Amino acid sequence: MTVEGQRYSFMFEDGATDRFPVGMRVLAVDDDPLRLKVLETMLRKCQYQVTATNKAIKALKMLRVNRNRYDIVITEVNMPEMDGFKFLELVRLEMDLPVIMLSANSDTKLVMKGITLGACDYLLKPVRIERLKNIWQHVIRKRMCDSKDQNKSPDLDKACHGTESANSVAISGNSGENDKLSMKQKHRNEEEKEYGKDDETEKKPCVVWSVELHRKFVAAVNQLGLETAVPMKIIALMNVKGLTSENVASHLQQYRSYLKRLNNMQAQYCGKAAPLGVKDSTYLQMGSIDGSLSVANTALSSYSPGGMLGRLNSPVGLNLPGITPSGLAEPVDPQNLSNSSNSLGKLQGSVLASQFKNLFIQIPTSLEHNELQQDKCTAHIGGFNSINNTTGNPLMFQWNPQPTHSILALMNLGLASSNPKSIELGNRVLSNFPDHNRCSESLQGAGQLSKFPSNAVSMSGSYNHDHSHSSNLGISSTCHQIGNNPQGFSSVSVPFSLLAEPRGDVQCREGLIGNIVQPINYIRKQRWEEHEQDYRHYMNWTFGAINSSVSADRNLNPLSQNLDKSDAVCSKNKDQSNGITPSALHSIVVEKSAMETKMKPSFDQTKLQGGQMKNRYGSLDDIMSSITKRVWRFLALALLIYVLLLWQSHNCEWISYS
DNA sequence: ATACGAATAT
DNA sequence: CATATTCGTA
């Protein structure tokens, strides 16, 4: 139990609640001094011990210094420098404290966003003191959850937040709620007893690395730095009960192996573009690359682990591959640039690393500090998605011309959640190989071809959005692609599958120009939101530095500008000249989904749980005529070709087919 | 003695 | 396959 836990352990006894809420430590955040003062005053009237700050950043720092110094956080939503949601995310991720959002805006979407991001409450202003008098309940609830978790499985803290119940750590065979299960377990234990020994040898319950758990893990690793992250420290940072060093070591092993793989892939397909000598791409070498990574990473961890900042740059999930603007490029040691570009490739490889469960990842490229984020614009599209960018322009693809960029990856994610509220159309964003030739090579080298069911691949009408980033070493790029994949709904809560998938690179083997044709996934929005952060997280620290360095670098290269333009062409949704709009893309996707739905009614719909998808998209489906369908398909493919040609014409490093 | 991490087992 | 366990090492 944490300090807080001890502090309030009496609460679980009974009577001795003495003066409980009195002195509860509240951290109040609001950038507006006046509002802050008001809030602070009210909180004090409630006899809380209030710490007030007008900077979310500052608040974060304070929390990082000692997360146990506060019992609850209450923050304004609208804050220019770092909005409340971002703050909320970071706090939830790093400190796991209850967070209350405060806003004058009662927009359901906003509230929903807050709640889905893990806020324990969302208070509308003007807030009455009576309301504040009650907030201690969240602390209690949290503590109770924690203590309950302690009694059964390790750290289920998130489960108590309702919105994140799916994230809890489950220890197999040990989750006592289910009577049947526990009975069964008991039975088995007894049997084991009878058969002698085994009693003490009773198997340890299996730790399930849920998204939430993994998120913590990654946060911890990021905080520590890859090289210095060792199981014990990680455990300490994660603050999760019941985790053993073995558990963490094992997971760390896998995690590292994943990173190594990424590095390998990157090295492979970036080939000689990796001059700084990451040739055989071993983990060790990656460690050396980490020179650069660490630099950025260190910088990162100064405000948050692993570039989590971008997480709120939610992909415009419904419409576009969530390319979001991100931040400003972070200064990176020039000598690391090449490595960085390598790593970008790495990322791309990783992006491809999906075969089973798809997940949409967004990797904020830049490691900008929150302080620098200005004039953010939050748009809400199709639910809880938001777009933040620096221009106030809700366009998604604005990242090119700037030394900023995000990388999105769509990975496989099992979607077990049965929340019928929404099914999101997840656009798969694939990493693209600037040169499919090389891609093929690497694939062959890996001796691996796609495992995608041919039917999935055959769903053409894919749309590729390519954006490339040239570095001094060549061009790296990512390709965002939409395909259709009604599969992947099977439930897998653990994200590592995608990490561990070494040869996801496959997709490039097929499709248009030897390029990628990938299935689309429908992702339940909520689920996605739960996971996206995590997945992005997986990659963030790995690539954030890289990306930013590439971003910075690309400015030096006129080519990149060109590419940027082409990029922009297929990106900007308001670009009427090309007519590719997010909604158009969406349409493609939708249409495809409809097709697939028709094609595999029984199987897939079952998976889709009662045909919700059908319901949701039915109307759209109707709207989509087959003509439109083809037109878009054509446009998408043309676009793809265009971009590829563009690339080809500029990239002299390409290896040609023999 | 401990903790780490690679290899191996389940 | 993900996670646990083992085992050599520092």
Side-chain angles (χ1 to χ4, degrees):
Chain A
M1 256 225 179
T2 63
V3 171
E4 303 140 280
Q6 286 158 9
R7 178 182 167 94
Y8 292 118
S9 58
F10 63 85
M11 296 185 296
F12 305 113
E13 306 302 311
D14 57 353
T17 50
D18 51 12
R19 337 185 303 136
F20 157 57
V22 175
M24 185 175 75
R25 299 155 306 172
V26 181
L27 180 59
V29 186
D30 192 332
D31 71 316
D32 182 289
L34 193 62
R35 291 186 309 202
L36 182 63
K37 197 68 197 168
V38 171
L39 176 62
E40 183 184 356
T41 306
M42 286 206 288
L43 289 169
R44 289 200 195 286
K45 275 185 187 163
C46 300
Q47 306 201 58
Y48 302 140
Q49 183 183 324
V50 186
T51 308
T53 175
N54 62 343
K55 294 267 184 290
I57 306 286
K58 227 189 282 175
L60 267 181
K61 281 176 187 159
M62 288 156 69
L63 287 168
R64 288 199 186 102
V65 169
N66 188 354
R67 75 180 76 178
N68 294 327
R69 237 177 94 191
Y70 306 95
D71 299 311
I72 192 166
V73 178
I74 180 164
T75 178
E76 164 68 35
V77 169
N78 287 315
M79 295 186 290
E81 293 193 4
M82 174 195 278
D83 79 29
F85 293 126
K86 203 162 274 190
F87 178 65
L88 163 66
E89 272 196 299
L90 295 174
V91 173
R92 291 284 298 139
L93 178 63
E94 295 183 53
M95 295 85 186
D96 196 31
L97 284 173
V99 178
I100 295 176
M101 308 305 288
L102 211 53
S103 172
N105 189 341
S106 62
D107 185 345
T108 307
K109 285 171 185 166
L110 282 184
V111 179
M112 188 63 87
K113 182 175 178 183
I115 298 302
T116 51
L117 286 173
C120 63
D121 206 348
Y122 196 108
L123 303 183
L124 293 178
K125 293 195 288 192
V127 62
R128 299 193 314 156
I129 193 168
E130 286 75 19
R131 198 72 185 77
L132 294 177
K133 279 179 179 165
N134 250 350
I135 60 172
W136 55 266
Q137 62 183 293
H138 301 298
V139 179
I140 304 290
R141 193 171 293 125
K142 180 96 180 61
R143 295 277 72 83
M144 286 177 66
C145 284
D146 287 349
S147 92
K148 205 164 74 182
D149 301 339
Q150 196 181 28
N151 293 338
K152 35 180 205 176
S153 53
D155 195 28
L156 283 169
D157 48 15
K158 294 303 184 292
C160 302
H161 281 262
T163 56
E164 300 189 47
S165 52
N167 286 338
S168 50
V169 177
I171 294 292
S172 65
N174 214 14
S175 28
E177 274 148 32
N178 189 331
D179 285 347
K180 266 187 193 170
L181 195 60
S182 31
M183 287 288 279
K184 210 171 165 185
Q185 181 73 23
K186 231 187 223 169
H187 250 70
R188 220 180 62 189
N189 292 345
E190 279 165 10
E191 280 173 18
E192 281 170 356
K193 253 184 212 168
E194 283 178 14
Y195 285 91
K197 60 164 188 169
D198 248 25
D199 193 12
E200 308 128 18
T201 324
E202 196 176 324
K203 283 177 216 158
K204 271 188 200 168
C206 193
V207 170
V208 174
W209 286 89
S210 67
V211 169
E212 183 59 26
L213 194 59
H214 178 74
R215 192 193 290 173
K216 285 184 176 181
F217 169 84
V218 174
V221 172
N222 286 336
Q223 221 158 19
L224 293 167
L226 181 61
E227 301 93 357
T228 44
V230 292
M232 289 307 227
K233 291 183 192 168
I234 294 173
I235 290 175
L237 272 172
M238 285 177 70
N239 196 25
V240 170
K241 283 156 299 202
L243 266 189
T244 69
S245 63
E246 285 90 7
N247 297 142
V248 174
S250 184
H251 195 64
L252 183 61
Q253 184 176 22
Q254 199 183 355
Y255 185 59
R256 282 171 165 163
S257 136
Y258 155 72
L259 294 176
K260 179 178 162 185
R261 255 186 224 149
L262 290 186
N263 197 43
N264 278 330
M265 291 198 299
Q266 174 272 324
Q268 266 192 342
Y269 106 84
C270 277
K272 50 196 172 185
L276 280 200
V278 186
K279 294 220 168 105
D280 67 322
S281 307
T282 61
Y283 172 61
L284 283 181
Q285 281 172 326
M286 193 176 87
S288 69
I289 286 185
D290 273 355
S292 71
L293 289 179
S294 301
V295 170
N297 201 24
T298 302
L300 270 178
S301 43
S302 70
Y303 68 90
S304 80
M308 288 177 293
L309 288 180
R311 287 181 302 133
L312 276 184
N313 293 333
S314 315
V316 185
L318 287 177
N319 291 332
L320 288 172
I323 295 162
T324 68
S326 45
L328 309 170
E330 170 141 310
V332 172
D333 182 352
Q335 87 184 43
N336 290 323
L337 286 176
S338 55
N339 282 334
S340 299
S341 78
N342 284 343
S343 300
L344 180 57
K346 208 161 50 169
L347 169 70
Q348 294 164 355
S350 76
V351 172
L352 296 176
S354 64
Q355 299 206 17
F356 306 116
K357 306 126 220 173
N358 288 328
L359 181 54
F360 200 25
I361 294 186
Q362 176 181 12
I363 295 162
T365 303
S366 61
L367 317 175
E368 94 276 4
H369 290 270
N370 297 325
E371 287 91 340
L372 296 178
Q373 294 186 327
Q374 298 288 338
D375 304 321
K376 246 171 285 164
C377 163
T378 301
H380 295 273
I381 297 183
F384 318 133
N385 279 331
S386 74
I387 310 167
N388 292 338
N389 66 29
T390 55
T391 64
N393 179 348
L395 292 185
M396 248 346 236
F397 302 105
Q398 56 131 45
W399 38 300
N400 273 323
Q402 300 167 4
T404 73
H405 111 203
S406 294
I407 292 182
L408 294 160
L410 180 62
M411 291 192 148
N412 260 315
L413 162 69
L415 302 172
S417 159
S418 59
N419 185 341
K421 233 186 287 180
S422 64
I423 295 175
E424 172 167 16
L425 196 57
N427 295 336
R428 165 167 295 184
V429 176
L430 285 183
S431 129
N432 190 15
F433 294 81
D435 50 347
H436 31 278
N437 299 326
R438 213 176 278 160
C439 171
S440 311
E441 272 186 359
S442 74
L443 290 177
Q444 285 162 5
Q448 295 286 349
L449 286 184
S450 170
K451 279 184 173 175
F452 267 109
S454 54
N455 64 345
V457 175
S458 70
M459 298 316 281
S460 52
S462 64
Y463 160 80
N464 280 3
H465 168 77
D466 297 343
H467 57 97
S468 51
H469 304 274
S470 54
S471 67
N472 48 345
L473 303 167
I475 297 174
S476 303
S477 67
T478 53
C479 165
H480 301 249
Q481 183 161 26
I482 302 176
N484 203 347
N485 182 11
Q487 298 150 348
F489 269 92
S490 59
S491 136
V492 176
S493 60
V494 181
F496 233 105
S497 57
L498 56 87
L499 298 180
E501 182 46 47
R503 52 230 180 324
D505 28 300
V506 279
Q507 285 86 350
C508 59
R509 86 209 177 199
E510 208 164 309
L512 212 37
I513 317 182
N515 214 314
I516 310 158
V517 172
Q518 263 223 339
I520 273 178
N521 277 335
Y522 296 93
I523 298 183
R524 286 174 178 281
K525 177 63 188 167
Q526 291 237 324
R527 192 71 178 171
W528 158 244
E529 288 199 341
E530 287 169 16
H531 292 269
E532 71 167 331
Q533 302 163 6
D534 195 64
Y535 283 75
R536 275 189 238 157
H537 219 72
Y538 265 123
M539 312 273 183
N540 272 348
W541 69 261
T542 310
F543 305 109
I546 297 143
N547 290 333
S548 58
S549 58
V550 169
S551 296
D553 188 42
R554 63 206 308 266
N555 284 338
L556 305 174
N557 190 339
L559 175 52
S560 69
Q561 300 299 334
N562 261 340
L563 292 170
D564 286 347
K565 281 175 197 160
S566 72
D567 210 9
V569 168
C570 44
S571 313
K572 304 219 168 182
N573 66 350
K574 281 187 182 167
D575 190 334
Q576 297 303 325
S577 63
N578 68 73
I580 300 288
T581 68
S583 55
L585 296 176
H586 186 200
S587 301
I588 296 173
V589 171
V590 166
E591 172 255 314
K592 285 171 66 177
S593 82
M595 261 176 56
E596 289 224 348
T597 305
K598 285 170 190 162
M599 289 168 61
K600 320 172 169 191
S602 55
F603 179 66
D604 289 327
Q605 299 229 348
T606 307
K607 283 194 169 186
L608 290 170
Q609 306 184 1
Q612 288 160 14
M613 187 169 76
K614 195 178 176 183
N615 291 338
R616 168 136 181 205
Y617 294 109
S619 56
L620 280 171
D621 190 6
D622 295 337
I623 293 170
M624 298 308 299
S625 70
S626 62
I627 292 176
T628 313
K629 183 192 309 182
R630 283 171 198 174
V631 167
W632 283 121
R633 213 174 266 181
F634 172 76
L635 283 175
L637 295 180
L639 210 70
L640 170 61
I641 293 170
Y642 171 74
V643 171
L644 286 173
L645 289 178
L646 205 70
W647 260 331
Q648 205 147 25
S649 67
H650 287 292
N651 188 351
C652 50
E653 289 196 8
W654 286 21
I655 301 168
S656 53
Y657 284 105
S658 58

